[in-house]
Amino acid sequence: MPSTTETPGNDTKGKAEGIPNLRDRLPKLQPRRKLVPPSNPLPVPETPNLPPPPEPSTIIFQKPTRRILSSQDHDTFLASPTYKLLLAFVFGLTDSVVDTPVSAVSSNDLSPAVRNILEILDKVEDVVSRSPPENQGDSRFGNKGFRDFLDLATEEHVEWHKHLGVPSSAAITEVSTYFLQSFGNRTRIDYGSGHELNFMLWLLCLYQIRIIAPSDFRTLVLKVFTRYLTLMRLIQSTYYLEPAGSHGVWGLDDYQFLPFLFGASQLLHHPYIRPLSIHQSFILEEYGKDYLYLGQVNFVNSVKNVEGLRWHSPMLDDISSAKSWSKVEDGMRRMFVAEVLKKLPVMQHFLFGSLVPAEEGMSKEEEYGVKSEDEEPEGGEMIVMKDGMRHVHQMNSWGDCCGIKVPSSVAAAEEMKKRMRGGEGLRRIPFD
């Protein structure tokens, strides 16, 4: 009779055959691949060749006027030789200070023309001291004493330009227009990257009439532009200039752009200062006077009423995560083109004359009944053409048409100092 009992060995073998081999179902281990960050679709703008100045006999000087009054005018400008001239000049200044701190330039390196320019900026500071701000209580909006300052500078600048070597009264009229516009708008009592650009245009005009040369470029950045920055901080803190075309904390800076472009070039191959170093107060204090980028961050920190770039300047905070200053400089070049030259709200105030010429076919102020920059009504309204229609653009606003007036963070800091000296706190407003 056959046995009905199975042996233990057979039972174990049957169970083993019923268990799936899980090892075959496990995914194979593979080395982790680093995610490649998305590349920036915008190419890095290169430095065009700077053309030589025009022959003096070919120049017919004229008072600069606005010629970008429509999107079509703007597109025409972006395809023009003047656009390339401006890029060549500004990026040429940028290239001239690669790996160069401010202290590397001594007074012996200054040409007579650069010395005269610095003397003019000293005289502008003297005009500030003779034009006190009006008493506006604790208002943090633009102080009307700024208009007295500009009026006095307008009266005195002619002799300054004659001493500089500007050849004629017609030339002074053209060149000085950019100079006077570089301190802010008289009507709106504001200041922004467009006014900073006018200072560059003033220097460009001096190049066009052969007063300065490419050999002066390094000292123009490290001595002249740094002096201009110091002067503008004094003017901003004295007259509470409002930010022109600012997006507040979401912008790079309420007022300036070029210190970040020039400053990134200065730090391009620095052995130990990295983009992340802007969060270290010791680095800012120790090297802020030598490097424009660090000095501007230090100034921004000093006028904000909250601590930390993450809170008051998130764009600067984001940029600090870049791996190298080369990445930062590339980004600043892109930003100068995209956020300054390609922004109609900024460029509609760009002035064209004989030294910074407009293209044929660009609109003229008289065609649309547009008043000149100096004759704008209170509030700064301007008629531009948009989609074929006349549009009143209110520039007393953020950069995108049309917003609300933004008080100066510099004004808030100055009012805080005044009240702290008097034992009072600062009256807060919704923009703080």
Side-chain angles (χ1 to χ4, degrees), residues 22-33:
L22 298 178
R23 182 175 59 183
D24 296 335
R25 299 185 181 183
L26 292 175
K28 293 182 180 181
L29 295 177
Q30 295 180 348
R32 181 180 295 174
R33 294 180 180 179

Side-chain angles (χ1 to χ4, degrees), residues 164-353:
L164 185 57
V166 181
S168 66
S169 59
I172 291 175
T173 298
E174 177 165 349
V175 173
S176 65
T177 299
Y178 298 104
F179 174 74
L180 295 172
Q181 287 290 333
S182 69
F183 303 114
N185 183 272
R186 185 185 184 280
T187 301
R188 300 187 301 270
I189 315 182
D190 64 8
Y191 177 89
S193 55
H195 301 103
E196 181 185 59
L197 182 60
N198 274 316
F199 187 75
M200 290 293 105
L201 293 173
W202 180 58
L203 297 178
L204 175 57
C205 287
L206 298 182
Y207 166 79
Q208 292 284 73
I209 57 177
R210 303 171 185 261
I211 289 179
I212 59 175
S215 58
D216 294 316
F217 278 14
R218 178 174 294 186
T219 54
L220 287 176
V221 175
L222 301 182
K223 290 299 182 182
V224 172
F225 185 72
T226 54
R227 180 68 182 93
Y228 169 73
L229 271 183
T230 304
L231 176 60
M232 283 314 308
R233 290 168 186 169
L234 171 66
I235 292 173
Q236 290 157 12
S237 61
T238 301
Y239 303 113
Y240 295 178
L241 303 188
E242 297 162 19
S246 171
H247 282 275
V249 299
W250 302 111
L252 187 64
D253 180 83
D254 282 347
Y255 297 112
Q256 316 292 159
F257 173 80
L258 291 176
F260 299 104
L261 174 62
F262 296 152
S265 182
Q266 284 183 284
L267 292 161
L268 203 57
H269 306 105
H270 199 280
Y272 54 85
I273 297 179
R274 299 288 182 263
L276 206 59
S277 300
I278 66 172
H279 296 280
Q280 302 173 16
S281 57
F282 171 77
I283 293 291
L284 297 179
E285 294 172 5
E286 187 74 11
Y287 297 99
K289 293 182 179 180
D290 251 350
Y291 297 98
L292 275 73
Y293 196 106
L294 304 181
Q296 191 64 23
V297 171
N298 202 26
F299 176 73
V300 170
N301 283 336
S302 71
V303 299
K304 298 295 184 178
N305 54 13
V306 292
E307 291 187 9
L309 289 172
R310 178 183 179 186
W311 304 110
H312 61 69
S313 302
M315 185 178 289
L316 285 176
D317 181 62
D318 288 345
I319 293 171
S320 70
S321 64
K323 291 184 178 180
S324 66
W325 286 110
S326 176
K327 293 286 187 183
V328 176
E329 193 210 26
D330 289 349
M332 292 300 165
R333 284 175 175 253
R334 291 190 184 100
M335 191 176 292
F336 177 68
V337 171
E339 300 298 326
V340 179
L341 300 185
K342 290 190 175 182
K343 280 296 176 70
L344 182 58
V346 176
M347 296 306 294
Q348 69 178 4
H349 295 274
F350 192 92
L351 301 173
F352 295 87

Side-chain angles (χ1 to χ4, degrees), residues 351-363:
L351 301 173
F352 295 87
S354 66
L355 302 175
V356 185
E359 287 292 283
E360 287 291 331
M362 291 177 66
S363 303

Side-chain angles (χ1 to χ4, degrees), residues 387-407:
D387 299 328
M389 300 180 66
R390 293 164 66 90
H391 169 67
V392 178
H393 188 97
Q394 169 59 266
M395 271 305 295
N396 219 347
S397 67
W398 295 338
D400 298 327
C401 182
C402 291
I404 56 177
K405 295 174 68 173
V406 181

